[in-house]
Amino acid sequence: MESFERKIINTANEKLNDGTVEKLVGQYIEKGVSDALSNVFSYGGEGKKLIEKKLSETMIPAIEKHDFNQYLTKLDTVLTEIVNSTSLADNKEILENFKGLMKEQEMKEIKLSEIFRQYCRHVEENVDTNDLEACCDDGEPYYEHVTARLEVEHEEKGWFKSDYDNCIVRLICDEDEDLNCQLKLYKHKNKDRWRLLNYGDSVDISSLGWLSGFKVFLMTLYRAFTEIVLDVESDSDDDIEPEEKPEWELR
């Protein structure tokens, strides 16, 4: 028994003297520091938040000052090469819509009446004339004039309380329902300027040729966070002459 105890004592002394204890202590300290750092930089950790804050403070001002317009020419060149190498070479709408979407929107504020004016122009250019009467009162043939309307409907919250107001803007062409358009606007209750809510889906190159100029216009307003002044609640124009002219047969 005495010999067994002596062996234990000798082994303990050996381990205390050969650095084993220091090694184990070091391993546990290393693991403790690693676990602590993992918690600090994990999701919601203070270290992660601090790094994100510092990166944001440094990078965002640099990005805001950078002029990205130089890339428009490069992108335009690449897209032109793609279009010219396909069967869509004659479709200039693709290039025009691409340029329209890529240009930085200069208007930081716009009146709803101006949006309606752009819509009336859209109706003038694109209204379906198949069911319109052709006229020739003054020698120059034309289609009967059509009507465009603007209606604003403010949404009622009822019992639900919110810090935001919403409204729906309806743009209506009485003679061509395919041109009807509905916009949803929102604003903070303490503000008097509105913004477009979730307008415009992602588009690919092939769909660029089918976008109307008016839709491109709205998409740029949405992308630039352009503020909208609700200077009108309703409006109409019943004297829009279609851009398309009828083929008049002289008898």
Side-chain angles (χ1 to χ4, degrees):
M1 186 67 177
E2 181 178 352
S3 176
F4 180 71
E5 291 177 350
R6 174 63 60 183
K7 289 183 179 179
I8 293 176
I9 293 172
N10 291 338
T11 301
N13 287 331
E14 180 181 345
K15 293 301 179 183
L16 287 171
N17 294 324
D18 68 0
T20 299
V21 173
E22 288 85 349
K23 182 179 179 181
L24 291 174
V25 170
Q27 289 177 349
Y28 276 100
I29 290 176
E30 182 179 346
K31 184 177 186 303
V33 172
S34 177
D35 290 344
L37 288 175
S38 178
N39 291 332
V40 168
F41 292 104
S42 63
Y43 181 78
E46 293 302 320
K48 183 174 183 293
K49 292 179 180 179
L50 182 60
I51 291 176
E52 289 177 343
K53 182 175 182 294
K54 292 298 183 182
L55 285 175
S56 178
E57 291 174 350
T58 303
M59 295 180 66
I60 289 180
I63 293 173
E64 288 178 341
K65 293 178 182 178
H66 189 78
D67 182 10
F68 287 94
N69 289 331
Q70 59 180 305
Y71 295 107
L72 177 57
T73 302
K74 297 178 182 179
L75 290 170
D76 185 20
T77 301
V78 173
L79 184 60
T80 301
E81 291 177 357
I82 293 175
V83 172
N84 289 337
S85 66
T86 68
S87 59
L88 302 175
D90 295 331
N91 196 340
K92 295 181 180 179
E93 290 297 322
I94 292 179
L95 293 177
E96 292 303 318
N97 287 338
F98 174 77
K99 292 175 183 177
L101 289 173
M102 288 302 300
K103 287 180 180 177
E104 192 69 24
Q105 178 58 255
E106 296 180 356
M107 288 185 296
K108 299 305 177 184
E109 179 180 289
I110 189 173
K111 294 180 178 179
L112 184 59
S113 57
E114 172 61 20
I115 295 179
F116 180 61
R117 190 182 72 82
Q118 294 287 341
Y119 176 71
C120 291
R121 176 61 179 163
H122 171 58
V123 171
E124 177 184 333
E125 294 175 344
N126 298 284
V127 65
D128 186 357
T129 59
N130 287 332
D131 296 326
L132 298 180
E133 181 181 349
C135 307
C136 190
D137 297 336
D138 55 1
E140 182 69 25
Y142 62 92
Y143 284 108
E144 62 177 315
H145 292 189
V146 298
T147 299
R149 292 184 288 115
L150 176 147
E151 299 175 353
V152 177
E153 178 185 345
H154 292 271
E155 294 187 350
E156 296 292 338
K157 297 294 183 181
W159 59 270
F160 178 72
K161 292 184 179 180
S162 172
D163 292 332
Y164 292 89
D165 292 327
N166 298 313
C167 74
I168 295 175
V169 177
R170 294 186 177 89
L171 300 168
I172 304 166
C173 176
D174 292 333
E175 290 78 12
D176 188 350
E177 63 179 16
D178 288 339
L179 297 181
N180 291 353
C181 180
Q182 181 170 290
L183 311 177
K184 190 164 186 178
L185 309 183
Y186 75 97
K187 75 173 183 66
H188 196 279
K189 285 186 177 294
N190 297 329
K191 306 292 184 179
D192 57 359
R193 296 293 188 267
W194 299 74
R195 285 182 178 175
L196 280 169
L197 178 66
N198 296 334
Y199 186 83
D201 301 322
S202 60
V203 294
D204 54 27
I205 290 178
S206 61
S207 63
L208 282 173
W210 301 101
L211 289 179
S212 67
F214 183 66
K215 185 167 186 178
V216 171
F217 167 69
L218 293 176
M219 291 175 72
T220 57
L221 293 182
Y222 171 69
R223 185 169 57 88
F225 303 103
T226 303
E227 295 185 332
I228 299 173
V229 180
L230 237 65
D231 60 326
V232 293
E233 294 283 332
S234 62
D235 203 350
S236 66
D237 186 345
D238 59 359
D239 194 29
I240 300 175
E241 181 178 337
E243 190 174 271
E244 183 180 347
K245 303 300 180 185
E247 294 182 4
W248 197 260
E249 293 183 5
L250 297 178
R251 296 182 181 275

